[in-house]
Amino acid sequence: MTKYRITKKIMLTLLVALFSASVSSCSPFNVDETTKNEKPYETETGENLIRVGFSQLGSESKWRRANSVSIKDSLKVENGFFLQFNNARQKQENQIKAIRGFISQQVNYIAFCPVTEDGWDTVLKEAKDAGIPVIIVDRQVSSDSSLYTTWIGENMRQEGENAGEGLAKVLEDRGRSHDKINIVELLGTRGSSSQIGRSIGFDTICDKHQNWVLLDREDGDFTTAKGQEIMAGFLEKYDNIDVVVCQNDDMAIGALQAMKNAGIDLYSPKKPIIISFDASRQGLELVTKGIIDVDVECNPASGPKLSEVIHELEMGNQVEKAYYMEEKVFTLLNASDYVDDRSY
Ligand code: AHR
């Protein structure tokens, strides 16, 4: 394991000369290409920073961008890290390529947010054979857990159940518990653990309500543009939508735009009930206005835990196999208490 100790002076020098290149980089190889220092992860006195290769799956949503900020803020030189950050732009092949790059550069740790659950076995075995610990962040992988050291992320299935229970409460408050309720769903990236978990969780609650009817569901890839496109299609196809479930706030914002374009008054009590996920600042603002009815939090601030876990491993300590982020559910009753402090 690498031992590190950095003086403030050295940290500053490194910050200016090297680190700025790495955080804005899209390529894991950029740092070595742009710096004149042959060993940017080594201080002038020969002490080592902990070299971490991080593959972010993309920047499809505000949540994702907040997650990247959290990782970069936590794995910085002041905390003993030399971070190589790669944005895979939504493609698993780019993530695999980046991880292979990290292996060939013999980083100390590899961390990544997997775009989908499946397809990681081979590259995880390669990292294991190279003796590099791997930490999975945010979404999960379907690979055998012996292939990675730990996972830090969100309980997607619980989030889906929270959304279903939130909807049941809204219907109860409106005296509609026994009405026929027509639901459409805008799903996140198909095959991602956030999509799979939220769908399973929501379906579990749906199954308990015989009067809830799932009219349609489509993959909106967690983006505003897709959310708007799919919702516009649903509105053309159905004139009896009671509930719109959007698997993130970005898609909800797109769906709301489509509803507005179709002439629906978003402030009317007759508008469809909107259930969303993430609880971004914009999402919470819409909750305070009564436009989004339930926003289930997905916590993107996994950087500090990632830093903590790596430091534990550096000290030779055992770590847990899974760490869950804390998450809340927001409605009109509590959203205004949190909206001002939301940074994303
Ligand atoms: O995996 C977390 C999900 O991915 C967030 O809900 C979404 O906004 C992001 O793109």
Side-chain angles (χ1 to χ4, degrees):
M1 293 290 177
T2 313
K3 284 272 172 261
Y4 69 94
R5 196 174 295 117
I6 316 151
T7 66
K8 273 189 177 167
K9 193 177 161 199
I10 292 164
M11 285 191 283
L12 269 177
T13 312
L14 277 163
L15 252 183
V16 174
L18 310 169
F19 187 67
S20 59
S22 80
V23 288
S24 59
S25 163
C26 288
S27 155
F29 313 109
N30 261 12
V31 176
D32 288 345
E33 284 164 10
T34 52
T35 181
K36 290 190 174 73
N37 186 341
E38 278 178 14
K39 288 185 178 173
Y41 41 84
E42 197 173 272
T43 67
E44 286 163 11
T45 52
E47 289 153 323
N48 286 334
L49 296 168
I50 305 166
R51 284 173 294 137
V52 180
F54 191 95
S55 167
Q56 180 57 278
L57 66 89
S59 44
E60 73 285 1
S61 60
K62 290 188 191 67
W63 189 100
R64 184 66 48 204
R65 294 192 284 277
N67 181 245
S68 295
V69 168
S70 173
I71 301 294
K72 289 172 181 175
D73 281 355
S74 302
L75 302 194
K76 53 189 177 184
V77 174
E78 291 97 313
N79 297 338
F81 293 101
F82 179 78
L83 172 67
Q84 290 178 260
F85 188 93
N86 176 267
N87 182 334
R89 309 196 184 286
Q90 240 63 42
K91 288 201 164 66
Q92 185 178 43
E93 69 209 59
N94 289 346
Q95 291 205 274
I96 291 175
K97 201 171 154 194
I99 293 169
R100 291 203 166 118
F102 298 145
I103 295 171
S104 72
Q105 291 176 41
Q106 297 176 302
V107 297
N108 303 118
Y109 296 87
I110 291 170
F112 72 109
C113 297
V115 64
T116 50
E117 276 193 1
D118 294 341
W120 302 101
D121 293 6
T122 307
V123 77
L124 286 176
K125 275 183 198 135
E126 289 168 22
K128 193 172 184 181
D129 290 346
I132 303 174
V134 173
I135 300 167
I136 316 281
V137 177
D138 168 29
R139 302 178 185 173
Q140 288 175 314
V141 293
S142 58
S143 306
D144 191 280
S145 63
S146 64
L147 292 177
Y148 58 89
T149 303
T150 183
W151 166 82
I152 301 163
E154 313 83 42
N155 191 335
M156 306 297 185
R157 195 176 169 145
Q158 184 62 55
E159 290 177 10
E161 288 187 20
N162 291 346
E165 279 159 6
L167 172 59
K169 180 79 175 65
V170 172
L171 292 170
E172 187 189 321
D173 290 349
R174 295 184 187 184
R176 297 187 63 193
S177 291
H178 302 291
D179 292 357
K180 183 181 171 205
I181 301 296
N182 294 316
I183 303 171
V184 293
E185 271 188 86
L186 281 71
L187 306 180
T189 305
R190 188 82 68 159
S192 65
S193 70
S194 11
Q195 178 270 309
I196 296 169
R198 286 171 191 169
S199 297
I200 292 174
F202 186 75
D203 287 353
T204 308
I205 307 301
C206 250
D207 289 346
K208 294 182 182 167
H209 298 270
Q210 297 303 310
N211 55 324
W212 294 12
V213 179
L214 180 64
L215 289 181
D216 220 329
R217 50 169 40 148
E218 263 193 60
D219 178 2
D221 216 10
F222 288 125
T223 68
T224 298
K226 274 274 194 180
Q228 182 170 346
E229 185 190 315
I230 291 168
M231 191 64 209
F234 285 160
L235 288 168
E236 273 181 26
K237 217 162 146 190
Y238 308 102
D239 60 3
N240 54 351
I241 298 170
D242 297 301
V243 177
V244 185
V245 179
C246 306
Q247 286 190 346
N248 80 348
D249 284 342
D250 299 71
M251 289 193 294
I253 286 152
L256 288 166
Q257 188 58 49
M259 287 162 63
K260 212 170 148 194
N261 294 349
I264 295 173
D265 175 3
L266 299 179
Y267 291 93
S268 160
K270 289 187 182 157
K271 71 152 184 74
I273 295 166
I274 310 292
I275 309 291
S276 187
F277 292 83
D278 282 1
S280 63
R281 187 185 179 97
Q282 207 177 354
L284 289 184
E285 277 167 4
L286 290 165
V287 176
T288 62
K289 291 176 184 165
I291 293 176
I292 291 180
D293 297 276
V294 179
D295 207 347
V296 178
E297 185 176 36
C298 181
N299 186 346
S302 39
K305 193 73 198 175
L306 178 59
S307 162
E308 185 191 315
V309 164
I310 294 176
H311 282 303
E312 287 296 330
L313 291 167
E314 282 292 291
M315 290 187 287
N317 294 337
Q318 287 279 334
V319 297
E320 307 284 327
K321 202 70 201 183
Y323 293 94
Y324 286 93
M325 303 295 293
E326 274 182 35
E327 302 180 306
K328 296 184 179 59
V329 178
F330 296 99
T331 65
L332 204 50
L333 294 177
N334 61 349
S336 54
D337 298 339
Y338 293 87
V339 67
D340 290 340
D341 291 337
R342 264 295 186 265
S343 61
Y344 62 95

